[in-house]
Amino acid sequence: MRWEGGRRGRHGAGRRDTGMARRFRGVAVVALLAVAWSVALETVPVAKVTRDARAGDTAAVAAPRTGPAAVTSVVGLGDSVPAGAACDCDTFVSLIRKSLASRQGVGVGVDNLATGGLTSQGLLDQMDGGPVTEAVVKADLVIITIGANDFDSDSLEDDDCGPRAGLACYKDDLARLRANVDGILGKVRALQTRPRSRIVVTGYWNVFLDGDSARAKGTAYVSNSDALTRVVNRTLAGAAAARGARYVDVYGPFKGDGSRDDTPLLAADGDHPNAAGHRVIADSILAALAAG
């Protein structure tokens, strides 16, 4: 609010202050200072305590620094990757909650509703009601990892499933993935009620096995799965851009240009991230959030 000083009268010269006028302004200044001090006291934030619904830990945070962009509720959606399969560790969803709570100085809640084996169609169906939609309404950050289970690895080594054939055998699956993710993001966006709510969509380092586990299956498996993963990631990125969501690449952080061995970031099954892998995913998402 802008305060303007008294203006001169219509005929030019202002009138001289009287003693009573000066006393009146003094009282007004004191009153204004009292109101300002009262408002300041009301807006001083207090320490909050939050419980991580998945990891079961409690974080007490003192002297929080709130702001319009502060994240207070995180929801994780998708498949076995955010669900933490094959890793007895904090998932990247949980790690993000902890990092945000520490950085912001405020309590951050989390609801990780990811489910192993979930397809994009399955997640789209979940958006029609129930705990998923209830959680999304309350969240100001929704993180989605979905799509890998839309594809069948049994035919991966067939000639028409490789890059030379343009991944022809997966053409219909890729089209369905794009349509489903577009629908998912549209429903999430429609459900969000908090100001400046954000959606993050992650890609994959591989939609199938990777690292040593993939190489044990031969060069065709490695080549075709890598080609499919790159197209899946482009599909996810395109859907995210169309819906105003933030796509976060994890292929690069895991594998660089594709030549780096990501076995140290994978669980023993070669299919899911280990604790180090979850840390890499969390850091990638946090960096994207910090970038705005």
Side-chain angles (χ1 to χ4, degrees):
M1 181 180 294
R2 184 178 64 191
W3 293 90
E4 297 179 354
R7 287 178 287 184
R8 290 178 178 269
R10 181 177 299 175
H11 300 292
R15 286 179 289 185
R16 183 175 299 174
D17 291 338
T18 65
M20 180 176 295
R22 286 194 296 271
R23 286 195 297 273
F24 176 78
R25 280 202 298 273
V27 172
V29 169
V30 171
L32 285 173
L33 288 174
V35 170
W37 178 247
S38 175
V39 171
L41 287 176
E42 291 178 0
T43 56
V44 172
V46 297
K48 295 184 180 180
V49 177
T50 182
R51 178 170 297 278
D52 187 319
R54 182 174 180 82
D57 64 328
T58 302
V61 183
R65 301 178 298 278
T66 59
V71 175
T72 59
S73 178
V74 178
V75 169
L77 301 177
D79 55 30
S80 56
V81 175
C87 184
D88 185 16
C89 62
D90 283 344
T91 68
F92 67 83
V93 178
S94 175
L95 293 170
I96 287 169
R97 183 208 70 77
K98 291 179 180 179
S99 293
L100 289 174
S102 176
R103 292 182 185 185
Q104 297 175 163
V106 298
V108 179
V110 66
D111 206 349
N112 191 348
L113 300 175
T115 305
L118 194 67
T119 64
S120 63
Q121 182 62 56
L123 181 53
L124 182 61
D125 293 342
Q126 288 183 351
M127 302 305 302
D128 289 335
V132 168
T133 57
E134 293 171 5
V136 169
V137 168
K138 300 174 184 177
D140 41 26
L141 174 60
V142 177
I143 304 170
I144 302 172
T145 302
I146 198 70
N149 293 314
D150 289 23
F151 304 92
D152 183 5
S153 63
D154 290 343
S155 57
L156 181 60
E157 297 175 73
D158 293 349
D159 290 340
D160 62 344
C161 295
R164 291 184 179 180
L167 304 174
C169 77
Y170 293 119
K171 182 178 179 180
D172 292 342
D173 296 325
L174 287 164
R176 278 191 293 270
L177 174 63
R178 173 58 194 259
N180 287 342
V181 174
D182 192 60
I184 291 164
L185 296 178
K187 291 188 175 185
V188 170
R189 186 64 77 194
L191 286 167
Q192 289 179 318
T193 58
R194 295 192 176 187
R196 299 185 67 176
S197 295
R198 284 166 282 185
I199 307 172
V200 166
V201 178
T202 75
Y204 292 91
W205 60 96
N206 201 308
V207 295
F208 297 133
L209 300 178
D210 209 9
D212 289 342
S213 298
R215 285 189 290 274
K217 289 183 171 291
T219 56
Y221 185 100
V222 172
S223 175
N224 292 3
S225 65
D226 185 73
L228 175 61
T229 300
R230 290 173 184 264
V231 176
V232 167
N233 287 343
R234 288 198 295 270
T235 301
L236 294 171
R243 289 291 186 173
R246 171 63 65 90
Y247 172 76
V248 175
D249 171 54
V250 298
Y251 184 100
F254 267 64
K255 302 167 67 172
D257 62 0
S259 61
R260 188 166 68 229
D261 181 14
D262 59 359
T263 301
L265 301 177
L266 301 178
D269 66 356
D271 196 25
H272 297 92
N274 59 17
H278 277 281
R279 181 76 263 175
V280 168
I281 298 172
D283 287 346
S284 300
I285 294 173
L286 289 167
L289 292 175

